[in-house]
Amino acid sequence: MTRFSRLEVFNTLLDKGVVPLFFNADVDKSSEVIAACTRGGAQVIEFTNRGEGAYTVFTQLVEHFAKAEPSLMLGVGSVIDAPTAAMFLAAGAAFVVSPILSPEIAHLCNLRKVAYLPGCATPTEISQAEELGAEIVKIFPGQVVGPEFIKATLGPCPWHRLMPTGGVDTTEESVSTWIKAGACAVGLGSNLISAQVIKEKQYDTLSEKVSQSLAWVKKARAK
């Protein structure tokens, strides 16, 4: 069971504006990645359900960081069905992210008062997600729809809260472009946490990139 309400998760996500996301099958390496991200200022982190043993690793990470970093909100991503979501919720996931819109996952998360961020790529999907209670919608794949999609969609529907994942680079130009287009936050995956970063243990560099990304969001919002 999660230690955070969905309001806490949404408000923190909106405040920070950056969600690092990754998967690694090794618990120790995953712990190092998460610790590096938190040192850089991240507080909402997504561990994706993309490989063998993801659930086992996730449960150990939740247990570890509940003591090591109590303010960390660790959620699960790449969830496409309600039974899988239920498993991770039982393990303590602070939120659930999908590459798709699943009414079944939405209903489950609403019942448990847990934040759900479904993946959408059309105005109709975004509207359907909001009808199902989604407070923030993941725009996926971001590299396909682009920042102009967010800007155009917010024109007639300014109440949307949209977070692109995919297509966001760890550069000021990229982050600023998305935020100025109207994105409420950005998800940073392999462009932030690459295989090379983990292999070469570039954790100090990772912390710096997270800190920079948070600063770029803040700067872009101020303009």
Side-chain angles (χ1 to χ4, degrees):
M1 183 175 178
T2 181
R3 296 180 294 110
F4 304 97
S5 72
R6 60 182 170 190
L7 292 177
E8 289 176 304
V9 173
F10 285 137
N11 286 334
T12 302
L13 194 160
L14 290 171
D15 177 55
K16 293 290 186 177
V18 173
V19 179
L21 58 114
F22 78 104
F23 168 77
N24 191 277
D26 185 272
V27 176
D28 292 334
K29 291 178 181 178
S30 295
S31 294
E32 291 280 11
V33 168
I34 294 173
C37 289
T38 58
R39 287 197 301 272
Q43 192 175 343
V44 181
I45 299 176
E46 175 188 333
F47 184 81
T48 59
N49 178 38
R50 289 188 180 180
E52 292 290 334
Y55 175 75
T56 302
V57 173
F58 183 82
T59 58
Q60 294 178 70
L61 292 173
V62 169
E63 183 177 357
H64 171 72
F65 283 101
K67 299 177 181 178
E69 195 68 47
S71 64
L72 171 66
M73 299 175 180
L74 185 62
V76 61
S78 300
V79 177
I80 61 173
D81 60 80
T84 300
M87 287 175 52
F88 281 94
L89 290 179
F95 58 93
V96 177
V97 183
S98 298
I100 62 170
L101 170 60
S102 168
E104 291 77 19
I105 297 177
H107 293 152
L108 172 65
C109 288
N110 287 340
L111 179 65
R112 300 287 292 276
K113 297 292 194 297
V114 174
Y116 174 48
L117 288 76
C120 300
T122 69
T124 298
E125 288 179 341
I126 294 169
S127 179
Q128 290 172 339
E130 291 178 338
E131 288 178 10
L132 290 168
E135 193 67 34
I136 297 175
V137 173
K138 168 182 173 177
I139 298 302
F140 180 80
Q143 62 266 49
V144 175
V145 298
E148 287 301 316
F149 170 81
I150 289 183
K151 183 177 181 180
T153 303
L154 289 174
C157 304
W159 54 84
H160 290 334
R161 291 191 178 97
L162 309 176
M163 183 186 79
T165 299
V168 185
D169 295 323
T170 52
T171 65
E172 182 173 7
E173 180 182 6
S174 179
V175 171
S176 295
T177 298
W178 284 102
I179 295 298
K180 290 178 181 179
C184 69
V186 294
L188 292 172
S190 59
N191 288 330
L192 174 66
I193 308 169
S194 66
Q196 181 179 1
V197 165
I198 298 174
K199 181 180 179 180
E200 298 181 2
K201 298 182 178 181
Q202 300 174 356
Y203 300 125
D204 287 341
T205 300
L206 175 56
S207 294
E208 292 173 3
K209 286 186 176 181
V210 170
S211 180
Q212 286 179 336
S213 298
L214 290 166
W216 290 332
V217 168
K218 187 175 182 179
K219 181 179 178 181
R221 286 174 172 174
K223 292 184 177 181

